[in-house]
Amino acid sequence: MKPIWIVDDDPSIRFVLEKALARENLPTRSFTHPREVLDALEALQGGDAQHSAPQVLVSDIRMPGGSGLQLLEKVHTLQPGLPVIIMTAFSDLDSAVSAFQRGAFEYLPKPFDLPKAVELIRRAVQESERESVAQDAQEVAPEMLGQAPAMQDVFRAIGRLSQSQVTVLITGESGSGKELVARALHKHSPVAGGPFVAINTAAIPKDLLESELFGHERGAFTGAQTQRRGRFEQAEGGTLFLDEIGDMPFDLQTRLLRVLSDGQFYRVGGHAAVKAHVRVIAATHQNLEQRVKDGVFREDLFHRLNVIRLRLPPLRERREDVPMLTRHFLQQSARQLGVEPKRISDAALARLGQFSFPGNVRQLENICHWLTVMAPAQTISVQDLPPEVLEAPGTSTEPLAAMPAQEAVAEHLPAPVAPPAPAAGAPSLASRPAGGLPYGLRPAEGGPTAETAASAAWEQALEREAQGLLAAGRNDIWDVLAHRFESRLIRTALAATHGRRMEAAQRLGIGRNTITRKIQELGLDGVDEAKNASSA
């Protein structure tokens, strides 16, 4: 495990923390002033193999040779994700709160209760570990996925812009992945070593947006008790991503134009100009040309932003990417939930490919999360898809492939009850839409092949039995037919696998727990044992 770094000029504080953390099996490394910490961090970046990088840094706020606040800023430059706990006397509480606002993990007032201090350090360790796992996952996961020609054009544009810091305007519908493109542009740019700071200009109230962007001086307005750096300063030396720029208030557009023109700005309530060495990437789902015509977006700002424009296609224009994205999101959801990834049938993928996805890639990702939780079997079929996909206008269910051993199931169905002739003008089941049949069954389409003939015969037998039960006035028809269907299907699968439940579940596309539960519910215990005995 990585050590906890402690920096304090008071040897008694260092001693107490070292002993307390040692009892918790937490390794430590101590320093007497900030310069030693910075030298140690620089040595680690130079390849020092004698010491480990810190897991957490615990620092006093007042020390000879530098303050904890100065150390905090420099440490965040060298180790951006390192949690820093600032120790301070009660008289320095305002400074500690300021440190907290500037990125410290937490502050620890002196004199402190030792068990509480250890608990706080443990929380910081857990946060550090989570950040490390998330960073590793982000590095392993692909930035963007897409084989469609429209996406390949976007990838080529990112490559051509990799040596440039020019302003880019990304347009595309909500959920199409504009921020992913912005992050890719930053990662493959000369300022990739700097921070990437994103702000949604439509999500922040107008009164607060100016302070969020440019920061404010202490006392600039009620509640401004300390100086605050805005997003432009936070993105210094890196990239500032302005999402939904089309919704920015008109008066703030003037200030943004001045920054883009002059490369400097003023904090709210400030009088000293602040230089902005920042690459700006903007994005919008709006038609900015129309917004300019409507008089709600400045034309000169539009031309400042529209140096290079990248149009991100909606998902309906890149349908060939749906299967790849679906499998990726199913894997991602399974990792997040700690479950086995689910598979998806070709028929379900085909149905997803017909969907228009008004929410684009974000909607597909949400659907995959929903399927990971809600789909009952390990293999997702058409009927498992969420209602917004199944009920969407303009889509149709393709004929489902014949199930394994379908003819055997049809062969073992009980003889159908002959239905009475329907009353004059009464609709028959045959005239109902296919969606009205259980399990998404529908008459087979296409030529009279042996497969479609068997499927049609099986469905007609099921329909005749349903008509007979309806005529008899039964009100449990769904349960009766579902019980028979599931029972015969599982019996047939067990017969084909000589009673091996795991193999039968895999052949049916369901989980092991599902088939075990169904066998118990349907009273099929002993069926697989009998098959095993007969095959022995």
Side-chain angles (χ1 to χ4, degrees):
M1 180 178 176
K2 297 178 181 179
I4 312 299
W5 283 14
I6 303 168
V7 51
D8 197 312
D9 60 314
D10 187 342
S12 62
I13 295 292
R14 298 197 305 270
F15 178 81
V16 167
L17 286 176
E18 286 169 2
K19 295 302 181 184
L21 294 174
R23 286 194 295 269
E24 299 292 325
N25 296 318
L26 293 173
T28 59
R29 184 181 177 189
S30 294
F31 305 86
T32 57
H33 55 76
R35 185 66 258 171
E36 292 179 352
V37 177
L38 296 176
D39 290 343
L41 287 174
E42 290 171 357
L44 286 173
Q45 291 189 333
D48 180 9
Q50 294 183 347
H51 297 95
S52 298
Q55 190 86 39
V56 174
L57 174 64
V58 183
S59 172
D60 191 17
I61 198 170
R62 293 186 183 275
M63 295 171 285
S67 73
L69 296 182
Q70 294 170 338
L71 179 61
L72 171 65
E73 293 181 355
K74 294 175 181 177
V75 165
H76 274 181
T77 302
L78 297 171
Q79 298 276 346
L82 178 65
V84 178
I85 297 173
I86 296 293
M87 296 183 292
T88 176
F90 281 111
S91 59
D92 293 325
L93 195 55
D94 289 341
S95 299
V97 172
S98 176
F100 179 69
Q101 293 174 341
R102 292 156 81 173
F105 177 78
E106 189 57 89
Y107 64 90
L108 184 62
K110 292 180 180 179
F112 51 78
D113 181 68
L114 197 55
K116 290 184 178 179
V118 173
E119 180 185 355
L120 175 59
I121 293 171
R122 276 205 171 277
R123 282 201 293 116
V125 168
Q126 293 170 359
E127 178 67 21
S128 177
E129 290 172 345
R130 279 196 297 268
E131 287 292 326
S132 177
V133 170
Q135 185 176 359
D136 291 344
Q138 186 175 3
E139 289 175 358
V140 172
E143 291 176 285
M144 300 178 68
L145 294 172
Q147 296 176 341
M151 285 305 296
Q152 292 298 314
D153 289 342
V154 173
F155 296 159
R156 279 191 288 270
I158 293 173
R160 284 193 288 267
L161 290 167
S162 62
Q163 301 303 317
S164 171
Q165 297 187 48
V166 66
T167 302
V168 178
L169 176 64
I170 306 169
T171 60
E173 296 179 5
S174 294
S176 56
K178 296 187 290 295
E179 184 168 343
L180 284 178
V181 174
R183 289 184 180 275
L185 285 167
H186 169 74
K187 182 177 179 180
H188 301 281
S189 75
V191 296
F196 177 90
V197 177
I199 180 172
N200 188 326
T201 58
I204 299 175
K206 175 183 176 181
D207 296 339
L208 300 178
L209 184 56
E210 184 177 16
S211 175
E212 282 291 324
L213 282 172
F214 306 110
H216 61 252
E217 298 289 351
R218 181 176 181 178
F221 50 83
T222 303
Q225 298 179 355
T226 60
Q227 183 192 82
R228 186 181 187 281
R229 297 164 59 207
R231 301 299 174 93
F232 268 96
E233 286 183 85
Q234 293 171 16
E236 179 69 18
T239 300
L240 177 63
F241 175 53
L242 302 174
D243 198 8
E244 300 302 349
I245 191 69
D247 296 302
M248 176 176 276
F250 194 84
D251 51 349
L252 279 183
Q253 295 175 25
T254 305
R255 289 208 61 183
L256 177 60
L257 177 64
R258 177 59 58 92
V259 179
L260 296 177
S261 303
D262 301 344
Q264 62 183 23
F265 61 92
Y266 293 86
R267 299 190 191 102
V268 176
H271 303 288
V274 180
K275 283 286 185 180
H277 302 97
V278 174
R279 181 193 191 179
V280 173
I281 298 176
T284 182
H285 72 282
Q286 307 262 18
N287 183 333
L288 286 189
E289 287 91 341
Q290 186 60 48
R291 301 277 290 176
V292 170
K293 291 179 182 178
D294 294 341
V296 292
F297 199 85
R298 292 183 62 104
E299 184 175 7
D300 44 5
L301 177 59
F302 168 70
H303 292 302
R304 279 283 178 183
L305 295 172
N306 193 36
V307 180
I308 299 291
R309 185 187 298 205
L310 289 182
R311 177 186 177 271
L312 199 55
L315 190 53
R316 61 182 174 274
E317 292 182 12
R318 41 182 293 220
R319 295 184 188 273
E320 56 266 60
D321 289 339
V322 170
M324 181 199 327
L325 290 168
T326 301
R327 294 189 178 98
H328 169 71
F329 289 137
L330 287 174
Q331 292 278 347
Q332 185 181 76
S333 299
R335 284 195 301 270
Q336 292 172 357
L337 296 173
V339 298
E340 183 182 352
K342 291 190 176 180
R343 300 180 298 276
I344 185 166
S345 68
D346 292 340
L349 276 177
R351 185 62 179 266
L352 278 175
Q354 297 172 359
F355 187 53
S356 62
F357 287 104
N360 293 294
V361 179
R362 184 185 297 121
Q363 185 177 15
L364 175 58
E365 182 178 10
N366 292 339
I367 287 173
C368 291
H369 286 313
W370 188 91
L371 289 170
T372 300
V373 176
M374 301 299 294
Q378 279 302 108
T379 299
I380 299 165
S381 55
V382 172
Q383 59 265 30
D384 296 327
L385 297 175
E388 65 263 28
V389 176
L390 295 176
E391 298 170 6
T395 61
S396 61
T397 307
E398 294 297 321
L400 299 181
M403 293 183 181
Q406 188 177 31
E407 291 146 327
V409 175
E411 189 178 14
H412 286 87
L413 276 175
V417 180
S428 68
L429 266 175
S431 65
R432 296 185 181 185
L437 291 174
Y439 297 95
L441 299 174
R442 56 173 295 161
E445 300 174 358
T449 63
E451 181 179 302
T452 55
S455 177
W458 182 77
E459 292 171 11
Q460 288 167 6
L462 181 63
E463 180 182 339
R464 286 194 298 270
E465 184 172 8
Q467 287 177 332
L469 293 171
L470 285 168
R474 298 282 294 269
N475 59 4
D476 59 347
I477 298 173
W478 181 275
D479 291 337
V480 170
L481 294 182
H483 184 283
R484 292 181 185 176
F485 172 82
E486 291 178 340
S487 177
R488 291 298 177 184
L489 189 57
I490 291 175
R491 283 176 180 270
T492 305
L494 289 172
T497 60
H498 303 290
R500 292 188 289 271
R501 291 186 181 185
M502 179 69 77
E503 185 179 347
Q506 292 174 346
R507 297 278 294 275
L508 292 172
I510 60 178
R512 179 185 60 184
N513 293 337
T514 302
I515 195 171
T516 301
R517 188 182 74 252
K518 288 292 183 183
I519 287 173
Q520 293 172 349
E521 291 175 354
L522 299 170
L524 300 179
D525 288 313
V527 173
D528 47 347
E529 288 85 352
K531 295 297 179 184
N532 277 327
S534 64
S535 63

